[in-house]
């Protein structure tokens, strides 16, 4: 290996190490502050953990104004259901575009892609009027069912199908007498499992962290999600404000996301790489 190659390799390692440090340092700060009391946090940052972890955890879980455990369950229900629906329906739609030849096929594909360009905030007012007319305010349904329309997931799945699903497999299944739903559920989905896992992770994280729409739809404390409870805790008045509880609640909020990433991380690189290459 030449000196120039060694230098490039060293620079690459230094840059990557710096990026890793920047990514992990803020998580370290979060966990450290979750172990400190409000007066200790007010004094400034410390690299040494405090002794208030148990106190902060007890105060958060027993806060009468914030049903944290119920909020966690609400977030899990909404995020889990949204991720499953968005991935399954988007995969089915992408499969239909990829495996079938029909009129307006390209038009429908283009229309779905164009929907990606519309920000959520633009349609929020009409969406709220609709669910209010349907008496679905303060309900999980408006936060779960619309997740079926996920143009970004659809686009990724189409790209993945084009690079990893030969139509000969589908045609062979049809010749063997397999119906379309059986072919999709038991032949196609196992082939694209990495892509499903990747988009499931992204969908879960996006729904788990979503604050804007749930804050407009959910009103009762028993139905609020974790991001809403975190915002409420941060907006408490000065006498009740406790930074230790805030950091503890944020730490609790990232645990499910971290667990999912650790369990399914092996699919991320392979799924994203394969889905980004066509032909």
């Amino acid at each position: 290996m030449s000196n120039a190659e060694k230098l490039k390799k060293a620079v690459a390692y230094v840059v990557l190490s710096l990026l890793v440090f920047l990514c992990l340092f803020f998580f370290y700060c979060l966990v450290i502050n979750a172990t400190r009391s409000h007066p200790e946090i007010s004094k400034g940052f410390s690299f040494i953990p405090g002794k208030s972890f148990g106190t902060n955890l007890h105060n958060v879980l027993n806060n009468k104004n914030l049903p944290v455990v119920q909020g966690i369950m609400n977030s899990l229900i909404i995020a889990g259901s949204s991720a499953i629906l968005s991935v399954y329906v988007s995969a089915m739609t992408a499969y239909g575009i990829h495996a079938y030849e029909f009129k307006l096929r390209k038009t429908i594909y283009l229309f779905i892609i164009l929907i990606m360009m519309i920000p959520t905030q633009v349609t929020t007012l009409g969406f709220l009027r609709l669910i209010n007319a349907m008496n679905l305010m303060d309900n999980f349904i408006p936060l779960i069912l619309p997740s079926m329309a996920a143009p970004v997931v659809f686009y990724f799945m189409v790209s993945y199908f084009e690079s990893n699903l030969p139509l000969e497999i589908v045609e062979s299944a049809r010749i063997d007498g397999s119906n379309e739903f059986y072919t999709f559920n038991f032949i196609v989905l196992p082939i694209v499992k990495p892509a499903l896992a990747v988009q499931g992770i992204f969908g879960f994280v996006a729904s788990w962290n979503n604050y804007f729409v749930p804050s407009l739809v959910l009103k009762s404390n028993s139905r609020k999600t974790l991001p809403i409870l975190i915002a409420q805790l941060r907006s408490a008045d000065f006498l009740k404000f406790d930074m230790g509880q805030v950091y503890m609640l944020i730490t609790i909020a990232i645990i499910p996301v971290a667990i999912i990433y650790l369990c399914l991380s092996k699919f991320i690189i392979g799924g994203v790489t394969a889905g980004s290459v066509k032909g």
Side-chain angles (χ1 to χ4, degrees), residues 151-273:
V152 176
V153 182
F154 162 80
Y155 178 75
F156 181 91
M157 293 306 302
V158 168
S159 301
Y160 197 93
F161 280 139
E162 290 178 353
S163 59
N164 292 273
L165 181 64
L167 292 179
E168 289 79 8
I169 296 177
V170 178
E171 293 170 357
S172 298
R174 291 170 180 168
I175 293 173
D176 291 337
S178 172
N179 62 58
E180 296 301 319
F181 280 101
Y182 184 91
T183 301
F184 175 74
N185 289 311
F186 296 100
I187 297 176
V188 174
L189 289 187
I191 295 175
V192 298
K193 189 185 298 182
L196 298 177
V198 170
Q199 292 305 310
I201 293 172
F202 293 158
F204 181 89
V205 173
S207 180
W208 179 270
N209 293 331
N210 189 13
Y211 169 79
F212 179 66
V213 178
S215 65
L216 298 175
V217 175
L218 304 176
K219 302 301 179 183
S220 59
N221 268 350
S222 61
R223 292 182 177 272
K224 290 180 178 178
T225 58
L226 214 50
I228 299 176
L229 298 182
I230 293 174
Q232 284 186 197
L233 187 59
R234 291 188 61 186
S235 62
D237 60 74
F238 180 78
L239 295 177
K240 297 180 180 179
F241 186 72
D242 186 348
M243 282 299 296
Q245 290 191 46
V246 173
Y247 281 111
M248 177 56 68
L249 190 53
I250 297 175
T251 302
I252 293 173
I254 67 173
I255 290 176
V257 177
I259 292 174
I260 289 179
Y261 265 111
L262 291 174
C263 293
L264 302 178
S265 59
K266 63 180 181 180
F267 293 111
I268 295 178
I269 297 176
V272 170
T273 302

Side-chain angles (χ1 to χ4, degrees), residues 61 67-78 208 224-226 229 249 252-253 256:
L61 296 180
V68 175
V69 177
Q70 185 63 48
I72 294 173
M73 294 303 300
N74 295 340
S75 291
L76 286 173
I77 293 171
I78 295 173
W208 179 270
K224 290 180 178 178
T225 58
L226 214 50
L229 298 182
L249 190 53
I252 293 173

Side-chain angles (χ1 to χ4, degrees), residues 38 71 109 177 201 278:
H38 179 74
Y109 175 79
I201 293 172
K278 294 185 179 182

Side-chain angles (χ1 to χ4, degrees), residues 19-142:
L19 292 175
V20 170
F21 172 78
L22 291 176
C23 291
L24 297 181
F25 177 71
F26 298 103
F27 288 102
Y28 178 78
C29 295
L30 174 64
V31 175
I32 290 297
N33 285 332
T35 66
R36 305 171 69 204
S37 64
H38 179 74
E40 291 173 339
I41 296 174
S42 301
K43 293 178 181 178
F45 176 71
S46 172
F47 286 95
I48 302 174
K51 300 179 180 179
S52 301
F53 181 88
T55 302
N56 291 336
L57 181 61
H58 178 269
N59 291 339
V60 165
L61 296 180
N62 292 276
N63 192 322
K64 296 180 180 179
N65 298 320
L66 296 175
V68 175
V69 177
Q70 185 63 48
I72 294 173
M73 294 303 300
N74 295 340
S75 291
L76 286 173
I77 293 171
I78 295 173
S81 301
S82 298
I84 293 172
L85 273 179
S86 66
V87 170
Y88 184 80
V89 175
S90 296
M92 184 179 291
T93 308
Y95 173 72
I97 294 293
H98 176 65
Y100 295 96
E101 290 288 344
F102 54 90
K103 292 183 178 180
L104 301 179
R105 176 171 173 263
K106 294 183 178 179
T107 303
I108 293 173
Y109 175 79
L110 180 61
F111 175 75
I112 296 175
I113 297 303
L114 289 176
I115 296 176
M116 293 171 53
M117 310 301 173
I118 302 176
T120 303
Q121 293 80 359
V122 173
T123 60
T124 300
L125 183 58
F127 175 70
L128 292 177
R129 287 180 177 176
L130 175 63
I131 63 174
N132 187 51
M134 298 174 67
N135 295 320
L136 290 177
M137 291 295 290
D138 200 26
N139 197 303
F140 291 164
I141 293 177

